[in-house]
């Protein structure tokens, strides 16, 4: 019937295909994702388009293919704030992040939903707060009982119980213990789902992550270069707001550091290691990841802070000489493996 644009908290505008209600796999389907506007444009999805519809995993409605294309329905302006949309690859974006109602409301809702230790801060409540001039999570935590009452948060009998309940839930969200990786995930960092947040905090303390470089993040298994670059950029933009909210005193359960967990059993935990030469044990990248899992820090060059230089075959003289000058212990690959037991 039509393609409806929806603006997400990241500013990406997602196309939703509104369908002639159709029974499929026992359910009446009237909407399906069109994935992105590149697909809408390329395949001709608009009013009158005939599609083949499936339910992915017998659950999620999905456009399998376009049978009869029509003129694609592409928006020029954000459906929430009216700003001109811009293309980035196959996606349309609203860049008005500080004033777009959809982005502001979805960001706030994502925060409370991800914390998962509070009730009452769903879409309707957040929309009402935003209409009253509240634009951030931090501002919500500064609200008083009277301010909430003035915004219309009263029970049906006109009393202030509704406003009191919201304040109680805000207090609950700060005093009920939650994992620090869940708290970090609540800020909606680009490319950082809860799994990546936990993985990051297994290697670095929460307040230390804002000082990490791309290279620091790439060393963590599961983080590629593009993800690391996006995370460093997002953390820089987020830092000020994050610290303001963090300082409100949330009760956070600290993620155990892998290095600390392994310190008692790993002979290389906390040590700085450099690998050089061709290894027989396996690829050098695999050995590096193995060493990092055991709590070691792997460097690319030998310095006075290096603990071990692990040598394979075809080793150049430069690193060996630097190691000798700095008193660094040189281990053959076999000596290194024996050290690990």
């Amino acid at each position: 019937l039509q393609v409806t644009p929806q603006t997400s908290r990241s500013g990406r505008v997602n196309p939703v295909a509104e369908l002639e209600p159709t029974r499929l796999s026992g359910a009446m389907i009237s909407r399906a994702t069109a994935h992105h506007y590149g697909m809408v444009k390329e395949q001709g999805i608009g009013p009158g388009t005939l599609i083949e519809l499936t339910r992915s995993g017998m659950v999620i409605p999905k456009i399998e293919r376009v049978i009869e294309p029509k003129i694609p329905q592409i928006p020029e302006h954000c459906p929430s704030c009216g700003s001109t949309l811009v293309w980035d690859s196959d996606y349309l974006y609203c860049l008005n992040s500080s004033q777009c109602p959809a982005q502001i409301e979805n960001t706030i809702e994502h925060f409370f939903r991800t914390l998962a230790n509070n009730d009452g801060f769903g879409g309707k409540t957040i929309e009402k707060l935003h209409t009253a001039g509240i634009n951030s999570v931090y501002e919500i935590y500064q609200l008083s009982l009277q301010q909430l009452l003035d915004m219309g948060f009263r029970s049906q009998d006109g009393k202030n119980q509704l406003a009191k309940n919201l304040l109680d839930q805000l207090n609950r969200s700060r005093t009920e213990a939650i994992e620090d990786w869940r708290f970090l995930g609540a800020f909606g960092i680009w490319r950082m789902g809860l799994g990546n947040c936990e993985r990051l905090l297994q290697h670095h303390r929460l307040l230390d992550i804002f000082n990490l470089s791309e290279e620091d993040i790439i060393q963590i298994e599961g983080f590629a270069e593009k993800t690391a670059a996006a995370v460093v950029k997002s953390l820089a933009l987020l830092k000020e707001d994050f610290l303001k909210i963090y300082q409100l005193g949330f009760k956070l359960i600290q993620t155990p550091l892998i290095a600390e967990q392994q310190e008692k059993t790993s002979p290389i935990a906390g040590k700085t290691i450099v690998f050089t030469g061709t290894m027989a044990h396996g690829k050098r990248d695999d050995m590096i990841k193995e060493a990092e899992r055991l709590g070691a820090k792997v460097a690319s060059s030998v310095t006075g802070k290096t603990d071990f230089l692990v040598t394979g075959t075809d080793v150049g003289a430069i690193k060996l000489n630097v190691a000798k000058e700095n008193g660094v212990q040189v281990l053959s690959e076999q000596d290194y493996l024996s050290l690990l037991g």
Side-chain angles (χ1 to χ4, degrees):
L1 302 176
Q2 65 177 6
V3 180
T4 301
Q6 292 185 339
T7 306
S8 69
R9 60 186 171 84
S10 68
R12 190 166 78 188
V13 179
N14 299 311
V16 178
E18 309 285 352
L19 313 173
E20 186 73 40
T22 304
R23 186 166 294 281
L24 181 64
S25 304
M28 188 64 75
I29 308 298
S30 59
R31 309 178 96 203
T33 178
H35 300 296
H36 49 67
Y37 272 101
M39 174 181 172
V40 172
K41 184 177 181 180
E42 181 180 338
Q43 299 193 23
I45 303 176
T49 299
L50 183 64
I51 64 167
E52 178 182 339
L53 185 69
T54 64
R55 290 183 70 193
S56 180
M58 299 296 287
V59 177
I60 302 170
K62 175 186 175 185
I63 296 176
E64 187 70 19
R65 66 187 178 100
V66 171
I67 299 171
E68 292 182 11
K70 297 292 182 180
I71 297 174
Q73 194 172 12
I74 310 291
E76 295 181 355
H77 300 94
C78 174
S80 180
C81 67
S83 298
T84 301
L85 300 177
V86 297
W87 284 96
D88 182 7
S89 187
D90 285 326
Y91 298 93
L92 278 175
Y93 281 90
C94 169
L95 303 183
N96 185 27
S97 58
S98 62
Q99 296 177 313
C100 178
Q103 293 186 61
I104 293 170
E105 291 170 16
N106 288 334
T107 296
I108 295 173
E109 185 177 359
H110 176 81
F111 180 87
F112 287 104
R113 184 175 64 248
T114 305
L115 288 189
N117 63 354
N118 61 92
D119 295 311
F121 288 91
K124 297 285 187 183
T125 298
I126 291 168
E127 183 180 355
K128 191 171 182 177
L129 287 167
H130 183 228
T131 301
I134 301 300
N135 294 316
S136 69
V137 170
Y138 181 77
E139 289 177 331
I140 290 178
Y141 279 98
Q142 303 307 303
L143 290 172
S144 66
L145 178 63
Q146 189 58 52
Q147 285 175 308
L148 287 169
L149 292 172
D150 292 343
M151 292 175 185
F153 289 99
R154 296 177 183 272
S155 304
Q156 290 183 349
D157 57 7
K159 295 183 179 180
N160 59 9
Q161 190 59 46
L162 180 56
K164 281 185 175 180
N165 287 344
L166 289 177
L167 289 179
D168 287 343
Q169 290 302 315
L170 288 175
N171 185 58
R172 175 190 167 198
S173 71
R174 290 187 299 105
T175 56
E176 192 172 296
I178 57 169
E179 303 90 343
D180 55 0
W181 51 262
R182 182 177 295 280
F183 180 74
L184 177 62
F187 288 86
I189 302 168
W190 181 245
R191 298 198 176 192
M192 287 288 286
L194 294 181
N196 269 354
C197 288
E198 183 175 15
R199 195 172 294 115
L200 181 64
L201 296 184
Q202 287 174 339
H203 293 81
H204 301 281
R205 294 294 186 207
L206 181 59
L207 293 183
D208 293 337
I209 63 175
F210 296 97
N211 300 319
L212 298 178
S213 65
E214 290 181 27
E215 186 177 336
D216 292 329
I217 296 176
I218 290 171
Q219 289 181 1
I220 301 172
E221 187 174 1
F223 286 87
E225 289 184 15
K226 286 186 177 180
T227 300
V231 170
V232 169
K233 183 177 180 181
S234 296
L235 287 174
L237 294 172
L238 174 68
K239 183 177 180 179
E240 183 178 347
D241 288 338
F242 177 91
L243 292 177
K244 283 169 64 176
I245 295 170
Y246 174 83
Q247 288 165 1
L248 293 173
F250 287 81
K251 189 175 181 180
L252 302 180
I253 302 168
Q254 193 174 77
T255 300
L257 292 176
I258 288 178
E260 290 182 357
Q261 289 178 302
Q262 295 167 336
E263 197 169 77
K264 295 179 181 179
T265 58
S266 170
I268 61 172
K271 303 294 185 181
T272 298
I273 299 175
V274 175
F275 293 94
T276 187
T278 304
M279 302 295 172
H281 173 62
K283 293 181 180 178
R284 194 189 302 179
D285 285 347
D286 293 334
M287 293 185 70
I288 288 173
K289 289 178 181 178
E290 182 181 36
E292 289 173 342
R293 282 195 296 270
L294 293 172
K297 180 179 179 181
V298 180
S300 57
S301 58
V302 179
T303 68
K305 295 182 179 179
T306 304
D307 294 293
F308 300 122
L309 173 63
V310 180
T311 62
T313 58
D314 302 322
V315 178
I318 296 177
K319 287 183 178 177
L320 289 172
N321 291 335
V322 174
K324 185 177 181 180
E325 291 170 3
N326 287 279
V328 174
Q329 186 174 354
V330 178
L331 299 175
S332 68
E333 182 181 3
Q334 191 56 51
D335 290 338
Y336 171 73
L337 295 176
S338 297
L339 176 65
L340 295 184

